[in-house]
């Protein structure tokens, strides 16, 4: 069965610290997509990244980076030099093959203190 | 990705009344749209998949007569919460999936039933 686990319910760090949000997934499909979304207090979901199962290259976008490891079924997200504006709930999600449905993790609330 | 407009962003209604939420795909003809519900501090829960020109597919446990979905055109899906009660108070989000682009979400509707 497919599943996404975000074990960290809440993380609190001081501004400028680096922080990593964990995501572990389960799927039987060989073709799947992994996503990260940011949900600030306003509620709107902000797309951060999509990664397909055949592309294990790590990605960096500014202060954001993602580490995809199929061997451990993980797709972790790191924010470098965190800022107060990074405070939000972050969701990891999975979709399988041609199935349009998203399987969501429980989310990690990230608090960046000034 | 697609541009999705959701309206209203916030609504307060009296118990027993019905509320309609609109989701528009502004630049993409969406044969399929998704409706989610999110309780405070929880993840998104898929309620139903809205199919243009046919009946929506509801997830297990979601009352079809309670949450009426109409997808009459390729750019508009509506969710009507009928005879709303305080327990229906929640954050409702629609989504469109576009092949090769991924998912785009509406800004959400915060429903409060008093």
């Amino acid at each position: 069965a497919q599943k996404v686990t975000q074990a960290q319910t809440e993380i609190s760090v001081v501004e400028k610290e680096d922080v990593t949000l964990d995501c572990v997934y389960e799927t039987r499909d060989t073709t799947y997509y992994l996503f990260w979304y940011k949900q600030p207090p306003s509620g709107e979901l902000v797309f951060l990244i999509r990664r397909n199962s055949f592309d294990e290259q790590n990605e960096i976008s500014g202060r954001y980076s993602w580490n995809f490891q199929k061997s451990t079924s993980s797709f972790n997200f790191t924010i470098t030099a965190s800022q107060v504006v990074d405070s939000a709930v972050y969701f990891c999600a999975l979709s399988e093959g041609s199935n349009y449905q998203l399987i969501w993790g429980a989310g990690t609330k990230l608090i960046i203190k000034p | 990705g697609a541009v999705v407009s959701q309206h209203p962003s916030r609504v307060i209604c009296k118990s027993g009344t019905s509320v309609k939420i609109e989701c528009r795909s502004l630049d993409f003809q969406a044969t399929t749209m998704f409706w989610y519900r999110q309780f405070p501090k929880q993840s998104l829960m898929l309620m139903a998949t809205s199919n243009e020109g046919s009946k929506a597919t509801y997830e297990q446990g979601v009352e079809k007569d309670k949450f009426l979905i109409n997808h009459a055109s390729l750019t508009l899906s509506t969710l009507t919460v009928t005879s709303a009660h305080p327990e229906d108070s929640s954050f409702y989000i629609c989504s469109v999936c576009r092949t090769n682009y991924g998912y785009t979400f509406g800004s959400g509707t915060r429903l409060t039933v008093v």
Side-chain angles (χ1 to χ4, degrees), chain B residues 59-76:
Chain B
E59 294 301 300
Q60 193 172 13
V62 178
E63 298 176 59
K64 301 177 185 181
D65 296 331
K66 176 74 170 175
F67 300 100
L68 299 178
I69 292 175
N70 185 294
H71 194 154
S73 78
L74 288 170
T75 59
L76 174 65

Side-chain angles (χ1 to χ4, degrees), chain A residues 6 33 35 37 39 41-47 50 89 91 94-96 99-107 109, chain B residues 32 34 36 38 41-46 49 59 91 93 95 97-108 110:
Chain A
Q6 293 180 256
Y33 296 88
F35 303 80
Y37 287 91
Q39 188 177 41
S42 63
E44 187 164 358
L45 284 161
V46 178
F47 169 80
R50 180 180 80 158
V89 179
F91 291 99
L94 162 76
S95 71
E96 296 176 319
N99 187 341
Y100 288 156
Q101 288 192 14
L102 279 171
I103 311 301
W104 294 87
K109 183 176 183 179
Chain B
T32 302
F34 303 92
Y36 291 88
Q38 186 181 28
K41 299 184 179 181
Q42 293 190 25
S43 188
L44 280 75
M45 180 190 79
L46 180 66
T49 301
E59 294 301 300
F91 191 59
I93 309 174
S95 171
C97 180
R98 190 173 182 180
T99 305
N100 297 325
Y101 287 91
Y103 300 82
T104 305
F105 293 84
S107 55
R110 197 166 300 279

Side-chain angles (χ1 to χ4, degrees), chain A:
Chain A
Q2 63 275 54
K3 187 179 176 182
V4 176
T5 302
Q6 293 180 256
Q8 304 149 308
T9 305
E10 183 173 306
I11 300 175
S12 181
V13 300
V14 178
E15 198 172 20
K16 297 183 182 176
E17 286 186 16
D18 299 347
V19 59
T20 296
L21 283 62
D22 298 333
C23 174
V24 175
Y25 62 92
E26 294 177 30
T27 178
R28 292 180 182 174
D29 274 15
T30 55
T31 303
Y32 54 90
Y33 296 88
L34 294 163
F35 303 80
W36 275 95
Y37 287 91
K38 174 182 180 180
Q39 188 177 41
S42 63
E44 187 164 358
L45 284 161
V46 178
F47 169 80
L48 296 178
I49 191 171
R50 180 180 80 158
R51 173 68 67 211
N52 75 57
S53 54
F54 299 107
D55 182 4
E56 277 194 84
Q57 277 193 335
N58 292 329
E59 177 141 346
I60 298 175
S61 177
R63 295 184 296 106
Y64 296 171
S65 63
W66 291 268
N67 186 322
F68 178 26
Q69 293 204 350
K70 290 176 77 170
S71 60
T72 55
S73 297
S74 65
F75 187 43
N76 297 337
F77 171 35
T78 297
I79 301 175
T80 304
S82 60
Q83 299 176 2
V84 173
V85 293
D86 295 327
S87 298
V89 179
Y90 290 85
F91 291 99
C92 179
L94 162 76
S95 71
E96 296 176 319
S98 59
N99 187 341
Y100 288 156
Q101 288 192 14
L102 279 171
I103 311 301
W104 294 87
T108 297
K109 183 176 183 179
L110 178 62
I111 301 170
I112 310 296
K113 300 176 186 175

